[in-house]
Amino acid sequence: MRETLILAFLVVLGYVIGLLTSIYFPSIFIYLIQVNYLVLKGDYISLLTSIFVTNSLLDAGFNTIALLVIYSLFGSKAGKMEYIVFFFSGLLGNIFSLFLFPPNTASAGASGGIFGILSFYIIYDMLKDRKFDLYEFLILVIVFVLSDILPNVDYFAHIGGILGGVILAFIASWLKRDGEGRYTL
């Protein structure tokens, strides 16, 4: 559970940083979240910082709870690879947002990475068992639909995150697992 707890801690820390900078240093905050216009002008680091930084308590709360729910469903059986899935999926989600939303769009939060972890575990289990699991697939679809009916949600980040998790699940399924069931690179 260490990996999940560390990611949850980083989400909470990102909220604290986002809240404080949005109140006291708004000129810094704008470069920590993803503002598409600024990214297109060279602020590439915000593609990573915006995965964590948000000033929305609701966003940080939902993301922290989502990580804990994913852990209760799947454990941290990916071990340290969960970090790779989270960052790759979050980055891919942010890239989707960058190119599919207008330049004046701003976004922030960890949900792309979280959707990546969820889709990774679901797809990896299906590949391992060599069968389609309708119930796990429905979990992903229902979570996606329910999260995207809320206002101001970056659904392109969710789609990119899901795609990132699927890509890494296919890669992980081709790699060997060690005796403890953890994925190895």
Side-chain angles (χ1 to χ4, degrees):
M1 182 171 181
R2 193 172 113 202
E3 293 83 10
T4 305
L5 287 177
I6 289 171
L7 289 173
F9 171 77
L10 291 173
V11 167
V12 172
L13 180 62
Y15 166 68
V16 170
I17 291 169
L19 182 64
L20 292 176
T21 57
S22 69
I23 293 170
Y24 298 109
F25 307 102
S27 60
I28 293 174
F29 176 72
I30 206 76
Y31 287 98
L32 293 174
I33 63 170
Q34 178 176 328
V35 178
N36 288 348
Y37 173 79
L38 294 175
V39 174
L40 293 171
K41 293 293 185 186
D43 180 31
Y44 305 119
I45 193 71
S46 68
L47 290 171
L48 291 175
T49 58
S50 66
I51 293 172
F52 292 105
V53 175
T54 182
N55 62 347
S56 168
L57 178 61
L58 190 62
D59 187 33
F62 275 138
N63 288 338
T64 302
I65 291 168
L67 283 167
L68 298 175
V69 168
I70 289 170
Y71 175 76
S72 72
L73 293 173
F74 300 100
S76 285
K77 63 185 174 185
K80 295 192 185 325
M81 188 168 175
E82 193 167 286
Y83 299 132
I84 295 169
V85 173
F86 181 82
F87 283 108
F88 176 76
S89 299
L91 181 61
L92 189 59
N94 284 347
I95 291 169
F96 269 50
S97 295
L98 175 64
F99 291 109
L100 297 173
F101 276 127
N104 62 342
T105 303
S107 58
S111 56
I114 293 168
F115 268 102
I117 292 171
L118 179 61
S119 65
F120 172 84
Y121 283 132
I122 289 171
I123 299 302
Y124 184 85
D125 284 349
M126 288 184 200
L127 292 169
K128 180 185 71 174
D129 297 339
R130 295 180 180 222
K131 73 176 202 177
F132 181 78
D133 187 330
L134 179 62
Y135 297 111
E136 284 190 356
F137 181 74
L138 284 176
I139 288 171
L140 181 61
V141 170
I142 290 168
V143 170
F144 177 78
V145 169
L146 289 178
S147 69
D148 290 329
I149 61 173
L150 298 171
N152 300 319
V153 171
D154 187 349
Y155 49 86
F156 286 130
H158 296 177
I159 293 168
I162 290 169
L163 182 61
V166 169
I167 290 168
L168 291 177
F170 274 95
I171 292 171
S173 73
W174 293 327
L175 299 175
K176 294 183 179 183
R177 292 176 41 175
D178 67 16
E180 296 176 9
R182 295 194 176 255
Y183 312 114
T184 56
L185 295 175

